[in-house]
Amino acid sequence: MELLTPGLGLIFWTVLIFLLLVFLLGKFAWKPIMTMLNERERFIEDSLSKAEIARQEMALLTNENEQLLKEARAERDRILKEAKELKDQIVNDAKGIAKSEGAKMIEKAKKEIDDQKNAALAEVKNQVATLSIEIAEKVLRKQFQDGDKQDALVSELLKEIKLN
Amino acid sequence: MILSKDCLKKITSIILFSAFFFSYSPSFAQTFELDSVSEEAHILPPAEQEHALTAQNAGHADKEKFNAGEMILEHIGDAHEWHILTLGDHHVTVPLPVILLNDGKLDVFMSGGFHHGEQDVTTKNGNTYRLNHKGKIESVDGASFYDFSITKNVLTLFVSAIILLFLFIGIANSYIKNKNKAPNGMQAVVEPFVIFIRDEVAKPAIGAKYNRYMPFLLTIFFFIWINNMLGLIPIIPFGANLTGNIAVTMTLAMFTFIISLVVSNKNYWAHILAPDIPKSLYILLVPIEILGVFLKPFVLTLRLFANMTAGHIIPLAFISLIFIFAEMSPMAGYGVSVISVGLSVFMKVLELLVCFLQAYVFTLLSAMYIGMATEEHSHDAHEHH
């Protein structure tokens, strides 16, 4: 069978060409291709691990930021609290001052009122005294229209002065 | 007596190997069947002669009757001239160089000198050759010589080698240019296959030292694949049945065989000559194991040869049907042509897959044979059976 008998010439050329191909392709094609493939794979792996590290660093940074934020919040709360205390104190102080001032003013007002009242009372007393003297004058004038009675009274008064 | 697990695995592996081989024998048988078909075509004298007569009446006295077997064998075989077509009795061929080594002297001339076998050629060295009816060159005086001619297949071999070199050195350059970047163009087309050979073939089969064999495995894979594919293109200088030629497949298998022998270690031979089984079984298993060593390249040779040859024969056989039927009646020829063309196209599409598959199988088995030969721990070797 002709198909099954290998031809010597073709074997020779196949060996030659195939060896040449293995040599040339091995040197100029497979070597750079395999090297570049491996290098690229390593590059991708490196990049991925670098990205992972960057991600971890980011996470760390985020953590720090959170910490800072927390601290800032606490600080703010503290400041607010202090401010509130200060405010309360100020308000309380103000209240005390206002109270004492008020009390003073009331005192003053009371004194004024008393003074005024005393003055008024004194005037009323004067008025009453004046009025009483006028009334007494009128009453006495009426009683002492006749001379007898005037003489009796004078004598009586004289008696009294004597007694004094 | 209890057969060890190891021993059972050996027997299974042998059965598997033979199954692998014989599973391809149907396509192999096709080759022979076609010859008988062609002989049957001879034994149809009444219709044929009638046709010949009508042909003569029509003025085509020289028209030979169609012989499918001859046509197919001519297409799948090697030749000293590249036959393109025949117009009437005029053959349109491309002559190819003939290189003969006769008695230590080279006889070089163009095959056109034979005028398709009608004339003898006498060289400067005084040797006279003729082209016999099988397309083989023979010496008129019966002297033996070696034929290193650039035949159809050798020309295809050159062309495919040039294509491979241009393609892959170009790709290698784009790898250097696109360092650490995504592949583009042909680089992107080829890369998956290179990675596939590396990760799915070489690494699992050979193990840690796979890198050493990558140039061989990649070359053999792309050589077979590209040549399988070129065989599908029916335009000169493609379409030759190079990977379906037993000389080529045998040579490739020999490379695998020689490499696996050269790199084989102690474990491999211990595994074959002194396996871990009862001594009484040696008489049975050691010869089988030794046979297995030689069976491996043999199986590689035949599998690729039979598959690619069958792949070339089947579409040709479908096309032949058109002419066989056309000789009976032209209308039958037209009718059959529709089916034949459809089936041929289907087969060619199927061949696209087979082309890749055979290249892959050859490479995988080569890698496995190398892997078996270089295995370090003998008890791990069984995993590959």
Side-chain angles (χ1 to χ4, degrees), chain A residues 14-30:
Chain A
T14 312
V15 169
L16 186 74
I17 295 280
F18 191 78
L19 283 179
L20 262 175
L21 272 180
V22 170
F23 175 72
L24 289 176
L25 286 179
K27 198 167 158 71
F28 298 113
W30 307 134

Side-chain angles (χ1 to χ4, degrees), chain A residues 43 107 134 158:
Chain A
F43 173 72
E107 198 74 11
E134 272 176 18
L158 285 171

Side-chain angles (χ1 to χ4, degrees), chain B residues 175-284:
Chain B
Y175 263 99
I176 294 165
K177 211 171 63 192
N178 286 351
K179 194 183 172 188
N180 289 347
K181 285 197 192 127
N184 59 18
M186 276 313 283
Q187 196 193 350
V189 177
V190 167
E191 186 170 307
F193 296 104
V194 175
I195 291 176
F196 175 72
I197 295 296
R198 188 191 63 184
D199 292 348
E200 306 298 326
V201 175
K203 270 185 196 170
I206 300 175
K209 286 182 187 159
Y210 75 94
N211 219 12
R212 220 176 129 194
Y213 307 99
M214 279 306 285
F216 171 71
L217 293 176
L218 284 170
T219 309
I220 212 160
F221 174 75
F222 284 107
F223 178 83
I224 294 173
W225 193 22
I226 296 271
N227 273 307
N228 286 351
M229 298 288 266
L230 294 182
L232 294 180
I233 305 170
I235 301 163
I236 187 167
F238 310 123
N241 184 23
L242 184 69
T243 41
N245 189 296
I246 199 148
V248 175
T249 61
M250 193 185 83
T251 311
L252 297 179
M254 277 302 146
F255 275 111
T256 300
F257 184 54
I258 291 166
I259 289 175
S260 68
L261 284 187
V262 167
V263 301
S264 61
N265 58 18
K266 239 182 353 194
N267 281 322
Y268 175 66
W269 292 108
H271 196 66
I272 287 165
L273 299 175
D276 188 18
I277 50 164
K279 291 269 189 286
S280 49
L281 282 174
Y282 274 23
I283 195 159
L284 181 68

